[in-house]
Amino acid sequence: MMKILRTVEEIKAFAGTACQQGGTIGLVPTMGALHEGHLTLMREARKHCDTVIASVFVNPTQFGPNEDYEAYPRRFEEDCKKLEEVGVDAVFHPAPKEMYPEGYAAYVTVDGDLTNKLCGARRPGHFRGVATVLTKLFNLSRATDAYFGQKDAQQVVVVRRFVEDLNIPVRIHMVPISREESGLARSSRNMYLSAEEKEAALVLSRSLGKAEAAFEGGENSVEALKKVVREELGLEKLAEIDYVEIYSFPGLKEIAEVREPSLLAIAVKIGKTRLIDNVILGSER
Ligand code: AMP
């Protein structure tokens, strides 16, 4: 039976026992409303770790004041069924007050080149909230390994940075983007989309596909590749571009040409819903 842990004391006790038994502890942090993309992370953890802990926590500190914290989907019972099916050992599902009690004052910030662009630039405080909650989750779960999706590629880079800088003893694994058959990257936020918007949202993966094809056909210019994406996105009336950017990956440095693995990342509003997607150009995979 999968254990449901709701308090700091409960997860500490669970992790303490797992730790005493030796072996690896895999953590998969999520905000719930789980879909197949989340489950690929769980399966990866299950394959490689002796104990698997998932967390389901809509973390208030990573949402901006005008973002969708209140509206974010919460489906804990359904999530538990899915987690149980993939063989997760325990799920940590704390109340916000359990993570941020009265008097809470400590935050982890990641400065510089990794957070001053892409979602870091558009969502002030987002990565501070992410780094803070993950530091707490790493400490509480005693994870030896943690699994993250390439869907949030900037997040992976930021997490690797603070884990190294703060000497947190956890290995960070990146799992490829899970997509629907249509190409749409799976996301809990896809639930916000109407049927018409869901159709329109296919333009994200389609535009990335066109740029990838251009790159594979020999186009290296960052400007030209971004233009391919912008032009495709421009054809969809319901799409409003937030950003289309290319940086070296994982360094997230400005580049003029793609000569090393590089992240082509986009954020696009479809109606009121902001969606992100990306592809890594020039990587082995
Ligand atoms: P979230 O619940 O949105 O915070 O996501 C939890 C984890 O699942 C993050 O590491 C995400 O990158 C990952 N994830 C979300 N969607 C996908 C997807 N379509 N494919 C792979 N990983 C994903």
Side-chain angles (χ1 to χ4, degrees), residues 29-31 35 38 41 72 148-149 151-152 155 176-178 186:
T30 81
M31 298 203 299
H35 51 66
H38 295 114
L41 272 58
Y72 199 84
F148 293 88
K151 170 84 191 323
D152 301 274
Q155 171 170 278
I177 301 179
S178 160
R186 292 194 165 89

Side-chain angles (χ1 to χ4, degrees), residues 13-81:
F14 182 87
T17 306
C19 220
Q20 269 172 8
Q21 288 166 353
T24 50
I25 301 177
L27 173 70
V28 185
T30 81
M31 298 203 299
L34 301 180
H35 51 66
E36 191 54 34
H38 295 114
L39 299 183
T40 58
L41 272 58
M42 306 291 166
R43 289 194 197 96
E44 195 63 18
R46 181 72 284 167
K47 198 155 80 187
H48 297 288
C49 301
D50 298 305
T51 301
V52 177
I53 305 178
S55 64
V56 171
F57 180 57
V58 184
N59 173 36
T61 63
Q62 72 189 66
F63 286 80
N66 299 317
E67 294 183 1
D68 57 346
Y69 174 68
E70 300 293 340
Y72 199 84
R74 289 158 170 89
R75 305 258 144 60
F76 187 60
E77 268 185 37
E78 285 169 48
D79 290 348
C80 283
K81 285 194 196 119

Side-chain angles (χ1 to χ4, degrees), residues 28-274:
V28 185
T30 81
M31 298 203 299
L34 301 180
H35 51 66
E36 191 54 34
H38 295 114
L39 299 183
T40 58
L41 272 58
M42 306 291 166
R43 289 194 197 96
E44 195 63 18
R46 181 72 284 167
K47 198 155 80 187
H48 297 288
C49 301
D50 298 305
T51 301
V52 177
I53 305 178
S55 64
V56 171
F57 180 57
V58 184
N59 173 36
T61 63
Q62 72 189 66
F63 286 80
N66 299 317
E67 294 183 1
D68 57 346
Y69 174 68
E70 300 293 340
Y72 199 84
R74 289 158 170 89
R75 305 258 144 60
F76 187 60
E77 268 185 37
E78 285 169 48
D79 290 348
C80 283
K81 285 194 196 119
K82 293 175 184 172
L83 292 173
E84 180 111 51
E85 267 174 33
V86 293
V88 166
D89 296 304
V91 57
F92 181 48
H93 182 55
K97 275 266 166 293
E98 190 67 24
M99 294 296 269
Y100 303 107
E102 272 304 303
Y104 188 90
Y107 292 88
V108 176
T109 56
V110 180
D111 289 334
D113 256 11
L114 298 182
T115 53
N116 64 7
K117 53 176 64 84
L118 303 166
C119 289
R122 273 83 181 175
R123 305 182 65 188
H126 172 68
F127 285 117
R128 173 183 190 253
V130 167
T132 300
V133 79
L134 289 176
T135 301
K136 290 167 71 67
L137 291 171
F138 292 149
N139 285 335
L140 289 169
S141 66
R142 306 219 205 168
T144 56
D145 296 83
Y147 295 80
F148 293 88
Q150 184 198 317
K151 170 84 191 323
D152 301 274
Q154 187 177 20
Q155 171 170 278
V156 174
V157 170
V158 168
V159 173
R160 288 206 165 123
R161 183 77 259 162
F162 81 76
V163 158
E164 184 177 337
D165 290 354
L166 301 179
N167 312 110
I168 301 176
V170 61
R171 284 177 291 266
I172 303 301
H173 305 273
M174 184 171 84
V175 178
I177 301 179
S178 160
R179 298 179 180 279
E180 294 184 7
E181 241 157 65
S182 63
L184 180 65
R186 292 194 165 89
S187 164
S188 305
R189 290 189 170 98
N190 292 349
M191 286 184 196
Y192 299 147
L193 303 171
S194 69
E196 189 193 7
E197 288 172 339
K198 203 166 175 194
E199 189 66 30
L202 301 184
V203 75
L204 277 86
S205 54
R206 193 162 63 237
S207 69
L208 295 177
K210 292 220 158 161
E212 205 175 10
F215 171 70
E216 276 156 17
E219 182 61 80
N220 288 103
S221 154
V222 161
E223 273 319 310
L225 291 167
K226 290 203 286 198
K227 188 156 170 264
V228 170
V229 176
R230 285 181 172 281
E231 280 180 0
E232 186 64 26
L233 292 172
L235 298 176
E236 175 49 64
K237 283 193 296 296
L238 294 181
E240 187 197 322
I241 296 176
D242 181 356
Y243 64 72
V244 172
E245 295 182 26
I246 300 180
Y247 295 104
S248 68
F249 187 84
L252 302 190
K253 300 275 186 233
E254 301 263 1
I255 48 172
E257 291 190 335
V258 179
R259 299 285 175 203
E260 58 187 310
S262 304
L263 177 70
L264 163 54
I266 62 177
V268 178
K269 269 180 97 174
I270 303 287
K272 288 192 163 62
T273 306
R274 183 177 178 278

